[in-house]
Amino acid sequence: MKRVLIITYYWPPSGGSGVQRWLKMSKYLPEFGWQPVIYTTENAEYPIIDPSLEKDIAPNIEVIRRPIVEPYTLYKKFLGIRKEETVKMGFIHEKEKKKGWKDNLSLWIRGNLFIPDARCWWVKPSVRYLKNYLQDHPVDAIISTGPPHSMHLIAMKLKKDLGIPWIADFRDPWTEIDYYNDLHLTRRADRKHHRLELEVLTQADKVVTVAPDGARRLGRIGNRNVRTIYNGFDRDDDAQTPVSLPDTFTITYLGVLSKVQNPNNLWQAMAELIKEDSGFDKNLKINMIGQIDSTVVSSIDENGLTQHVNYSPCIPHDQVSAAHRSSTLLLLLLMPDSEPRAKGLVTGKLFEYMASGRPILCIGPENGDAARILRETGAGQTVSFGDKEKIKMTLKNLYQKYLDHNLTNNTSTAVEQYSRKTMAGDYARLLGQALI
């Protein structure tokens, strides 16, 4: 069996979406002849903690944990954040807060002095440690997964010094991430980000990302072919006690929800339907589970929907499938068409939604990658952020199907092509190509 070193910041007990891809890939890669060796941190500042994921760590897998120095202790002290509070990912603010000079200064420091990210201090010590480790414990290939993109810099140095084949795996973009322009970058810092990104894209033997549009965008930057390997779903996550559907028209959103994803037209459409139909008013229930930005909460309140909404914090991953399957309708919120990467936004949540069999309402680009997958599998339908009337009509039709007991599970076998095991097989074949 060949060995592959996987360099990842996110690993259990980390929760959230960032950990899922390589936790699941490493679970199934041995079935395709590749034994993973995980290199990760032992004292990371994770935004979400979920010990339930530890049961998914493959048996006999080697996990190397090394200490990391992160600036978050100083960051918290500077902003007056309690030590036990976590730093939210992607500029999520669950409580309304007016930005002061300290917030702006800390953001400037993060963008301009910590390049490519706050884990940059881990690069040199990791390279030193891994060069020594690999002398006695050789591997056939290396995979780095980002963000944080500092993981790619570790792998790139190992590739240059040791000549080991390397795959750079982009779960999210680098300079085209939606909050990149919020970092208050100087010209010098912006040039450095782009230079390092280009170096990674051109030096890696293979580059992978999670959706076709993202692959095309990365490919243009690096002038090369970028492979798409989706996140997928794990059928083992569905092996739970059967659940019953609710008596109410229950719509569930689960995950992180940022300001740019706020579907104000959806909330307005719901408000109008409530006024027009007393039955809809009586039956509507909305579950918002996870880290929800305060702007979303304000928008829901402004549209008079607060009494219909139940907010819950992040739940352990072993409870996610039950939350999906006990919902009438699952809500997938992407980004407005005007956002540069909206068409290529294919979240891991999409596939876990699909695995549940419950119908999906996606608010996002109708010509995007997620919309195509929903059409091809029959798992749901997509409506653009800007089309309030179509959102309203679609929601009204779904509600009528609910009343008619016709809002049924999707049983299409086309969904199975997106299993985690299938994705691991694709990765194993790519690893084999990287060795040639």
Side-chain angles (χ1 to χ4, degrees):
M1 187 172 289
K2 294 182 174 62
R3 283 162 48 90
V4 54
L5 175 67
I6 299 169
I7 303 172
T8 176
Y9 176 81
Y10 293 105
W11 191 256
S14 171
S17 58
V19 69
Q20 296 287 334
R21 183 170 174 84
W22 284 100
L23 176 64
K24 298 296 188 176
M25 287 287 189
S26 65
K27 175 181 177 180
Y28 289 110
L29 276 175
E31 296 186 30
F32 300 95
W34 285 90
Q35 182 60 44
V37 178
I38 306 299
Y39 179 76
T40 190
T41 66
E42 68 177 18
N43 59 324
E45 176 75 30
Y46 292 136
I48 301 172
I49 300 295
D50 184 359
S52 76
L53 289 172
E54 293 182 355
K55 71 178 186 303
D56 273 331
I57 299 175
N60 304 319
I61 193 171
E62 182 179 0
V63 179
I64 304 168
R65 295 186 182 271
R66 296 290 296 170
I68 184 172
V69 176
E70 298 185 274
Y72 287 115
T73 299
L74 294 174
Y75 174 82
K76 289 179 180 180
K77 285 182 179 179
F78 184 66
L79 292 180
I81 299 173
R82 294 196 306 272
K83 184 178 180 181
E84 63 273 14
E85 288 189 57
T86 58
V87 178
K88 302 295 187 293
M89 63 180 70
F91 296 93
I92 298 294
H93 299 285
E94 293 180 298
K95 298 178 182 179
E96 287 192 41
K97 180 183 177 183
K98 188 176 181 180
K99 277 190 176 182
W101 69 269
K102 286 187 176 182
D103 298 275
N104 291 325
L105 178 59
S106 61
L107 188 58
W108 186 93
I109 291 172
R110 179 257 182 264
N112 292 280
L113 301 185
F114 295 94
I115 299 176
D117 46 63
R119 285 85 190 191
C120 59
W121 289 344
W122 203 45
V123 174
K124 288 184 178 179
S126 293
V127 170
R128 284 196 300 269
Y129 174 84
L130 287 171
K131 286 175 72 172
N132 289 329
Y133 169 86
L134 292 171
Q135 286 182 356
D136 299 322
H137 308 85
V139 297
D140 298 278
I142 298 171
I143 296 173
S144 57
T145 179
H149 299 298
S150 289
M151 305 304 105
H152 299 315
L153 303 189
I154 296 170
M156 183 164 63
K157 181 62 175 173
L158 293 174
K159 160 73 177 179
K160 288 179 179 178
D161 291 352
L162 304 178
I164 302 172
W166 162 42
I167 298 176
D169 182 81
F170 284 79
R171 302 188 319 278
D172 280 313
W174 187 328
T175 60
E176 293 191 345
I177 194 76
D178 45 280
Y179 55 78
Y180 182 77
N181 291 330
D182 296 328
L183 295 174
H184 304 318
L185 298 176
T186 63
R187 289 184 180 180
R188 180 179 180 183
D190 180 56
R191 286 196 298 268
K192 186 172 182 180
H193 275 285
H194 281 88
R195 176 177 60 78
L196 289 174
E197 177 186 43
L198 181 60
E199 196 172 355
V200 167
L201 289 172
T202 54
Q203 294 301 314
D205 294 279
K206 303 286 183 181
V207 179
V208 178
T209 192
V210 298
D213 187 73
R216 288 189 289 270
R217 297 176 71 88
L218 281 174
R220 286 197 296 268
I221 295 172
N223 192 28
R224 66 178 303 172
N225 179 49
V226 176
R227 176 73 180 271
T228 297
I229 298 181
Y230 295 103
N231 282 310
F233 63 86
D234 189 354
R235 278 295 178 205
D236 286 352
D237 294 340
D238 293 324
Q240 300 182 22
T241 305
V243 296
S244 300
L245 287 174
D247 296 328
T248 55
F249 185 60
T250 302
I251 302 174
T252 297
Y253 177 87
L254 197 152
V256 175
L257 190 58
S258 66
K259 179 180 179 180
V260 73
Q261 295 172 275
N262 180 27
N264 194 52
N265 280 327
L266 173 65
W267 311 136
Q268 289 182 17
M270 287 181 175
E272 291 178 11
L273 287 172
I274 286 171
K275 291 179 181 179
E276 297 169 6
D277 187 341
S278 59
F280 187 80
D281 185 15
K282 180 181 178 181
N283 284 314
L284 178 63
K285 179 182 177 183
I286 306 168
N287 292 323
M288 303 293 286
I289 305 171
Q291 294 181 356
I292 312 298
D293 194 88
S294 63
T295 56
V296 180
V297 178
S298 296
S299 186
I300 288 172
D301 185 50
E302 289 165 4
N303 284 285
L305 298 173
T306 303
Q307 64 178 337
H308 296 277
V309 181
N310 177 46
Y311 296 99
S312 303
C314 297
I315 59 176
H317 193 259
D318 58 6
Q319 298 176 21
V320 165
S321 177
H324 291 161
R325 292 183 291 120
S326 60
S327 302
T328 313
L329 182 68
L330 297 173
L331 186 60
L332 182 66
L333 302 174
L334 301 180
M335 291 180 181
D337 294 34
S338 58
E339 292 295 321
R341 70 184 188 104
K343 290 182 181 179
L345 193 58
V346 179
T347 65
K349 181 185 6 277
L350 165 63
F351 302 105
E352 293 190 339
Y353 277 8
M354 287 165 52
S356 74
R358 300 307 301 147
I360 300 166
L361 174 58
C362 173
I363 309 298
E366 295 182 23
N367 60 345
D369 291 330
R372 175 184 52 78
I373 292 170
L374 289 174
R375 284 195 303 271
E376 291 175 354
T377 59
Q381 51 193 307
T382 306
V383 186
S384 172
F385 263 72
D387 197 339
K388 189 188 75 171
E389 290 307 313
K390 188 173 180 180
I391 292 174
K392 182 179 177 181
M393 184 58 64
T394 302
L395 198 58
K396 187 175 182 178
N397 291 340
L398 288 167
Y399 177 63
Q400 187 59 51
K401 287 185 177 181
Y402 155 78
L403 293 177
D404 296 339
H405 305 287
N406 195 29
L407 197 56
T408 56
N409 278 10
N410 173 46
T411 57
S412 170
T413 57
V415 169
E416 297 304 320
Q417 65 185 297
Y418 297 105
S419 73
R420 294 281 189 181
K421 186 173 180 178
T422 298
M423 298 303 113
D426 289 346
Y427 234 109
R429 285 186 285 276
L430 189 65
L431 279 164
Q433 295 169 14
L435 298 184
I436 298 174

